[in-house]
Amino acid sequence: GAQIIDLMMLVIDVTKGMQTQSAECLVIGQIACQKMVVVLNKIDLLPEEKRQSAIEKMTKKMQKTLENTKFSGCPIVAVAAKPGGPEAPESENPLGISELIEVLKSQAYLPSRDPSGHFLMAVDHCFSIKGQGTVMTGTILSGSVSLGDNVEIPALKVTKRVKSMQMFHTPVTYAMQGDRVGVCVTQFDPKLLERGLICTPDSLHTIHAAIISLKKIQYFRGALQTKAKFHITVGHETVMGRVMFFSPAPANFNDEIQENVFDFEKDYLYQEEYLSKDSVSSEENKENDQAGEVQLPKQQWALLEFEKPVTCPKLCLVIGSKLDTDIHANTCRLAFHGVLLQGMEDKNYTETFLPKLKVYKQKHKEGQVERVMDDYSVIGRSLFKKETNIQIFVGLKVKLSTGEDGIIDGGFGQSGKFKIRIPDGLKPDTKMLLTAASKKKSKGGKGDVTKEDESSKNDSAQPVTISLIFKRYVFDTQKKMIQS
């Protein structure tokens, strides 16, 4: 419902100032609205002699609060809508309302409206009128509607014909984007729809999951973690959804933002959480602080999986919140906002759709060289568990800490050891290092065991490590390992 507002009023109790819910309204306003007027209400509660200074103080405070928002410098008006409160006699005149009306007139504007495209209307009320039919009132979000048109109620998969229409008690034959209108249809039970969407038949889709581009809301405390559940608000609906965050591959962190499209050809990097300045772990920060700024991607995405299907237009606004947070805790419950780029209509989207989404995890395994076999091969250990099927790793490239490139050739024995082929041969230094290390082992082995342990501790040459780096696509059913 927040997507149909062209100008908002933020009403603040002048005796209390910004409350948690005022801050939430401000956050939603920044996401969904372009212009705002602040109204300081209940000025009748301020003693007359201190009233002016109290209003000025609160006005300054509000200006400071709005400084870093898109509403910086917006008008602030002081009123008492009902002096004396609800019990006061009707003869009490409101204070400051005529000034407020003037401000609203000066701020009001004609938004640009577009009647083209599919008809889509957000219905916020549905009731029957005896002898007429069922009326659905709401705001047209896109397109236009005329008498006699067929409209669909997609949540119920029902299509009805428009019998009559009214705008502010006046019958009309046509209405377009931005209009408030009542649409009358026949033979439809109003109990079936309280609020929701109606549209051109077959133009809206019911989806089970979606890809969105998103931004974290800066006031939300805590990390946005993959696999976490959020309340996802889409249009009039709020459903539970699970998220998985991903970003461009690190080489593309600085790519320009792609508005309103998603490219399935590109590779994306899986993220355990949404990347923001405060999400990078403190260890990394320490290192990065010396190196300069933390690298953050310009754009990030999430896969949303809904607990129950939702009906919504493409490119609609999505808000993720933690609405089960205690309302009295002074914290922002809104976590992120974004744009829905791609919906998944198929119930079995995990099999039919997700494999097209190329999100990968970077894997890094480390092992050590056990001994040299000959100039072109070594035996490695500690890279795999004993029970691992080494066959699936055969042919993958590895790198030795001494600089040589190798290829996994197969298992060796029963304990998870394996053979590595070094196509360009071992460097003489590496060979010496490894031969010296294995001689030491065999020499120590004849004597006392504890002595051997000590000698290897004291003068063991730095072991030669083997590193295996590959990526694996999250939705690849075959779990293939891929190396560039």
Side-chain angles (χ1 to χ4, degrees):
Q3 297 180 64
I4 60 177
I5 297 167
D6 299 303
L7 168 66
M8 68 182 268
M9 282 197 299
L10 185 65
V11 181
I12 303 285
D13 180 334
V14 74
T15 64
K16 292 181 182 165
M18 280 288 262
Q19 302 289 294
T20 309
Q21 57 270 44
S22 334
E24 275 189 1
C25 291
L26 185 55
V27 170
I28 295 172
Q30 287 203 84
I31 296 167
C33 201
Q34 295 309 317
K35 292 184 81 167
M36 181 173 83
V37 173
V38 175
V39 180
L40 303 177
N41 192 24
K42 303 192 182 178
I43 57 171
D44 58 311
L45 298 181
L46 302 168
E48 265 190 60
E49 63 281 4
K50 292 184 189 158
R51 189 172 291 172
Q52 205 42 47
S53 65
I55 290 171
E56 278 163 21
K57 199 171 159 194
M58 187 56 81
T59 302
K60 280 209 175 74
K61 209 169 168 181
M62 286 305 301
Q63 283 164 340
K64 187 102 189 81
T65 304
L66 298 174
E67 223 168 43
N68 299 322
T69 73
K70 67 150 85 157
F71 304 123
S72 174
C74 78
I76 300 175
V77 190
V79 306
K82 184 93 166 89
E87 305 305 312
E90 286 304 317
S91 56
E92 281 286 339
N93 284 327
L95 303 174
I97 294 294
S98 52
E99 287 87 340
L100 174 58
I101 290 170
E102 286 311 311
V103 168
L104 287 175
K105 279 186 190 169
S106 72
Q107 294 297 306
Y109 62 102
L110 271 179
S112 58
R113 302 296 192 200
D114 176 11
S116 66
H118 291 303
F119 167 67
L120 176 65
M121 171 169 154
V123 173
D124 44 51
H125 201 48
C126 189
F127 54 91
S128 65
I129 296 179
K130 230 187 166 98
Q132 295 288 316
T134 296
V135 176
M136 297 178 271
T137 61
T139 302
I140 301 178
L141 300 180
S142 70
S144 63
V145 64
S146 299
L147 277 188
D149 282 359
N150 280 337
V151 296
E152 183 188 7
I153 302 154
L156 307 170
K157 304 272 182 280
V158 170
T159 299
K160 292 282 168 200
R161 204 164 140 267
V162 177
K163 185 188 164 197
S164 65
M165 295 195 292
Q166 278 196 2
M167 279 165 62
F168 302 103
H169 306 295
T170 309
V172 292
T173 57
Y174 171 86
M176 64 176 270
Q177 184 186 50
D179 286 338
R180 285 285 305 170
V181 63
V183 172
C184 182
V185 299
T186 52
Q187 269 123 37
F188 177 65
D189 179 358
K191 288 196 190 73
L192 295 174
L193 182 76
E194 184 191 355
R195 30 175 50 193
L197 297 165
I198 62 172
C199 60
T200 301
D202 298 327
S203 65
L204 271 203
H205 306 293
T206 299
I207 58 174
H208 297 267
I211 293 169
I212 66 166
S213 70
L214 78 157
K215 281 193 163 55
K216 182 177 177 178
I217 288 167
Q218 67 191 71
Y219 311 105
F220 182 76
R221 292 187 200 143
L224 303 182
Q225 281 168 326
T226 283
K227 295 202 175 86
K229 284 186 174 179
F230 289 90
H231 292 89
I232 308 294
T233 303
V234 190
H236 274 317
E237 290 191 79
T238 297
V239 297
M240 290 304 288
R242 194 182 289 280
V243 291
M244 180 193 90
F245 297 103
F246 56 98
S247 69
N252 306 332
F253 265 24
N254 287 323
D255 282 9
E256 280 316 301
I257 289 177
Q258 293 287 303
E259 297 275 355
N260 302 344
V261 287
F262 184 78
D263 187 350
F264 282 95
E265 297 307 307
K266 287 190 175 159
D267 272 21
Y268 298 95
L269 178 61
Y270 171 91
Q271 298 291 357
E272 285 294 346
E273 60 180 306
Y274 177 90
L275 298 179
S276 61
K277 280 198 176 65
D278 47 0
S279 71
V280 188
S281 71
S282 51
E283 289 308 304
E284 284 180 58
N285 269 348
K286 277 186 203 127
E287 291 168 32
N288 286 334
D289 276 350
Q290 285 125 27
E293 194 53 33
V294 180
Q295 269 297 97
L296 291 174
K298 280 191 178 173
Q299 190 171 16
Q300 293 180 65
W301 298 269
L303 168 70
L304 291 184
E305 300 188 73
F306 300 114
E307 282 192 358
K308 66 181 225 286
V310 295
T311 303
C312 61
K314 212 175 156 182
L315 302 182
C316 68
L317 171 68
V318 177
I319 299 178
S321 331
K322 287 272 186 200
L323 299 178
D324 41 8
T325 315
D326 176 15
I327 185 71
H328 302 297
N330 186 15
T331 130
C332 178
R333 299 178 302 164
L334 304 161
F336 61 84
H337 66 99
V339 175
L340 195 142
L341 301 177
Q342 182 78 45
M344 297 166 214
E345 293 173 61
D346 189 342
K347 205 171 178 180
N348 303 321
Y349 66 90
T350 46
E351 285 112 58
T352 57
F353 197 98
L354 288 186
K356 294 183 212 166
L357 180 58
K358 299 198 288 192
V359 174
Y360 68 87
K361 289 183 181 179
Q362 191 75 41
K363 300 280 190 181
H364 188 182
K365 288 175 169 292
E366 292 248 325
Q368 289 171 357
V369 175
E370 165 100 353
R371 60 186 169 87
V372 177
M373 273 181 85
D374 56 48
D375 287 354
Y376 291 94
S377 49
V378 296
I379 300 298
R381 63 182 164 84
S382 315
L383 192 63
F384 306 112
K385 294 194 180 86
K386 199 162 144 187
E387 60 276 11
T388 305
N389 171 13
I390 293 176
Q391 264 337 94
I392 57 176
F393 291 91
V394 168
L396 289 184
K397 294 180 272 200
V398 294
K399 203 171 187 69
L400 304 191
S401 54
T402 45
E404 290 91 339
D405 291 316
I407 292 164
I408 297 176
D409 228 6
F412 184 83
Q414 295 303 306
S415 56
K417 290 179 186 172
F418 54 98
K419 188 175 163 188
I420 293 176
R421 188 160 46 87
I422 314 283
D424 298 337
L426 287 167
K427 297 178 193 165
D429 301 3
T430 311
K431 208 171 162 190
M432 270 168 62
L433 189 72
L434 289 166
T435 328
S438 52
K439 272 204 184 114
K440 217 168 267 163
K441 264 190 199 159
S442 52
K443 214 166 96 187
K446 293 196 177 79
D448 195 318
V449 178
T450 54
K451 278 224 182 73
E452 186 240 323
D453 269 8
E454 272 169 28
S455 76
S456 71
K457 249 188 216 145
N458 296 341
D459 51 27
S460 76
Q462 194 58 41
V464 175
T465 58
I466 303 161
S467 77
L468 167 63
I469 296 176
F470 60 91
K471 53 191 200 186
R472 198 179 248 162
Y473 289 102
V474 178
F475 301 114
D476 174 17
T477 43
Q478 286 149 3
K479 303 218 179 306
K480 285 199 291 282
M481 289 167 282
I482 291 164
Q483 290 180 313
S484 48

